[in-house]
Amino acid sequence: MPNAIMDLTELLERVENDREIIRELLLIFKEEFPIHLRALRDAVDSMDGKKVATEAHTMKGMLANLAAGSAASAAARLEQLGRNQEVSEFQEACVSFENLGKELLLELDTCMAEVCG
Amino acid sequence: MRILIADDEVMSRKMLQKTLERAGYEVTAVENGRLAANQLCPADGPRLALLDWVMPELDGPGVCREVRKRKEQSYVYMILLTSREAKEDVVAGLESGADDYLTKPFDPEELKARLRTGLRILNLEDRLVEAREEMRFRATHDGLTTLWNRGVMMDLLGRELARSRREHVCTAILMCDVDHFKTVNDTYGHHAGDDVLKETAKRLLAAVRSYDFVGRYGGEEFLVVLNNCNPPYALARAEEIRKAIARTPVPSVNGPIPVSMSVGLLFSEDWGRLPLEELLQEAGAALYAAKAAGRNCVKVASPKTSSPDSGSPDYQSIRLRR
């Protein structure tokens, strides 16, 4: 998949070609990620740096596990901004991260079909 | 091998669990540091652990510190999982007691290789503990009979005498010697002689209570300490012990060997605060009296009837031969 956010080849390597576990991971991600994304949005709107860092840290881990490198980097940036209480940067960073997240969620269905097929 | 995974992020936990189960580990997975510490701190907990750095309740380094506080328990090999790569973070993690760290997202081959390193360390620890225990056993037990050795018996007896004086109870000391042991060696050979000593030890152990002490005093001499018992009971027990030794011959490749034992018995309450060495001398003298009386009998050391001028005590003899 060209310009995909998630690198399925890398993910397959990381789980030693266990397609069943990828299917499980994708299902968990689809369920958990939007919850964290909403919590991040709330934290950004209330300019709660600590909460921004915590939520971004969790999502960074989830994205790294899915071999979604660019999205994980965006989450890492938000985590750092939250730690440093750089509230003026929160909105811009959050919007670009949300866009990446939405794209990724759309990508998951194609990925799921590829894995299960 | 059991391994503990602690990670609050469910996807990480799943991936680690699957990877490790495929590699043959028995996995326990928990979602916070407090649960991890609760699993790792008991003596029978897992000895390998993969701990996420950032976790609720207690973080990875916090778990390491709690586990390292424990003393006298098996070593736990702990690897911190982290997305932090700054030198100061790594140093802080290792200073908390972690053995290694692994950067997330992990590579399965690297993870397994690092765990193999952990297993090598744990195996090495097992071998060292085993060697230490063996040395401790050898330092405290007689090599042939595996009974307590003389040094330990002196120590145990000293403590028991102090306790009996403190609590005003009686301790009985039995100095025992296998009769005609030289003849056994000369007639049946030294291997058979060793078998006699081993069998004697076994019979002595079987004839006393679990909290009494039995040791090899040297050669064919054994020392038995009966804790907290009155003289009539001790006398009856000494006689039982003598009978237990003589009841059946000891089997050997050269045929059954008849065995008997002479016993010198001393009650601590009869001797005031006489030092341990002197008590043993008196028990030894009672043993010689038993030998002189024809062997296979029990003689009681009694200060009341001893004549200090004669140089040898006059024992109140209780012949209990069959």
Side-chain angles (χ1 to χ4, degrees):
Chain A
M1 203 188 300
N3 301 321
I5 299 172
M6 196 179 113
D7 185 340
L8 187 59
T9 315
E10 187 190 324
L11 181 57
L12 276 165
E13 251 173 55
R14 205 177 289 155
V15 296
E16 299 170 313
N17 284 310
D18 184 344
R19 287 173 182 264
E20 180 53 34
I21 183 75
I22 291 186
R23 205 181 68 84
E24 273 187 57
L25 292 175
L26 293 179
L27 288 173
I28 294 170
F29 187 87
K30 274 180 83 167
E31 197 178 311
E32 295 278 322
F33 189 74
I35 298 169
H36 289 289
L37 205 53
R38 277 197 297 278
L40 175 71
R41 168 45 68 192
D42 289 346
V44 165
D45 290 345
S46 56
M47 290 192 256
D48 182 346
K50 199 176 167 197
K51 184 90 174 120
V52 167
T54 307
E55 290 301 333
H57 175 81
T58 304
M59 284 187 283
K60 180 182 75 176
M62 295 171 81
L63 292 160
N65 280 329
L66 272 197
S70 57
S73 299
R77 181 173 170 243
L78 264 166
E79 183 184 0
Q80 204 53 50
L81 291 175
R83 275 189 213 289
N84 299 339
Q85 296 287 345
E86 293 179 56
V87 287
S88 61
E89 310 259 342
F90 281 4
Q91 284 295 345
E92 178 271 316
C94 186
V95 169
S96 77
F97 180 68
E98 282 169 330
N99 290 336
L100 268 174
K102 279 172 200 160
E103 269 185 65
L104 178 60
L105 285 168
L106 289 174
E107 219 177 277
L108 292 188
D109 292 331
T110 322
C111 232
M112 185 75 92
E114 205 170 321
V115 168
C116 298
Chain B
M1 183 68 168
R2 289 163 66 205
I3 185 166
L4 178 90
I5 297 168
D7 197 323
D8 58 323
E9 207 274 284
V10 63
M11 288 170 64
S12 281
R13 223 161 51 230
K14 277 253 181 243
M15 286 173 83
L16 284 166
Q17 184 159 3
K18 276 277 177 187
T19 306
L20 296 177
E21 281 174 353
R22 265 199 300 270
Y25 289 92
E26 189 188 324
V27 180
T28 303
V30 296
E31 67 270 17
N32 69 53
R34 175 53 52 209
L35 292 172
N38 291 348
Q39 287 275 339
L40 293 172
C41 285
D44 59 349
R47 294 178 63 202
L48 264 180
L50 280 170
L51 307 167
D52 190 23
W53 192 302
V54 181
M55 281 188 289
E57 308 277 339
L58 189 65
D59 64 9
V63 177
C64 293
R65 275 189 289 273
E66 285 216 2
V67 172
R68 293 291 179 245
K69 264 193 240 159
R70 309 169 322 153
K71 304 275 182 228
E72 297 293 321
Q73 282 184 26
S74 301
Y75 194 74
V76 179
Y77 191 89
M78 293 180 286
I79 300 178
L80 280 175
L81 294 167
T82 176
S83 50
R84 302 173 173 212
E85 289 170 80
K87 194 168 72 183
E88 57 269 31
D89 286 336
V90 170
V91 170
L94 295 174
E95 289 289 343
S96 72
D99 296 284
D100 199 359
Y101 74 98
L102 194 59
T103 310
K104 291 205 291 188
F106 66 89
D107 173 83
E109 290 311 314
E110 185 183 356
L111 170 67
K112 285 184 264 184
R114 284 179 191 251
L115 286 173
R116 281 195 293 274
T117 304
L119 286 175
R120 281 199 297 275
I121 301 281
L122 293 179
N123 285 339
L124 182 65
E125 198 229 1
D126 286 346
R127 276 170 26 218
L128 286 171
V129 168
E130 208 174 291
R132 185 192 65 193
E133 289 309 309
E134 197 181 319
M135 281 169 68
R136 190 178 285 175
F137 188 87
R138 282 186 191 175
T140 53
H141 290 75
D142 170 58
L144 179 70
T145 61
T146 73
L147 294 176
W148 293 119
N149 65 23
R150 184 178 177 138
V152 171
M153 283 303 286
M154 294 301 97
D155 193 35
L156 292 171
L157 179 55
R159 275 190 252 171
E160 196 52 35
L161 286 170
R163 193 175 72 88
S164 62
R165 280 168 191 154
R166 208 167 49 239
E167 295 174 6
H168 305 291
V169 293
C170 181
T171 294
I173 302 172
L174 284 74
M175 187 70 84
C176 312
D177 188 272
V178 178
D179 295 328
H180 300 298
F181 187 67
K182 187 179 178 307
T183 309
V184 171
N185 273 336
D186 292 345
T187 311
Y188 298 92
H190 285 89
H191 283 305
D194 286 350
D195 287 343
V196 165
L197 294 175
K198 284 193 270 189
E199 181 60 26
T200 301
K202 218 185 279 179
R203 291 179 188 184
L204 284 173
L205 276 177
V208 299
R209 300 163 302 181
S210 60
Y211 49 93
D212 293 325
F213 307 134
V214 181
R216 188 173 175 196
Y217 196 61
E220 67 271 29
E221 276 189 318
F222 295 87
L223 190 63
V224 177
V225 177
L226 304 177
N227 303 314
N228 189 12
C229 63
N230 57 45
Y233 172 83
L235 186 57
R237 178 57 52 191
E239 179 57 15
E240 279 304 311
I241 289 171
R242 184 195 66 74
K243 282 181 187 166
I245 300 299
R247 191 168 290 129
T248 51
V250 174
S252 82
V253 280
N254 297 324
I257 306 170
V259 178
S260 68
M261 176 175 265
S262 301
V263 180
L265 173 61
L266 180 146
F267 307 123
S268 67
E269 66 178 19
D270 294 344
W271 297 85
R273 303 191 75 83
L274 205 63
L276 168 64
E277 293 73 20
E278 289 179 43
L279 287 178
L280 288 171
Q281 268 178 21
E282 296 295 345
L287 167 64
Y288 284 117
K291 292 280 185 190
R295 297 180 172 86
N296 194 20
C297 64
V298 177
K299 290 283 183 182
V300 179
S302 170
K304 292 169 199 143
T305 52
S306 66
S307 67
D309 300 333
S310 69
S312 60
D314 174 20
Y315 290 96
Q316 181 188 27
S317 161
I318 301 173
R319 289 300 302 271
L320 292 161
R321 297 188 68 174
R322 279 188 299 181

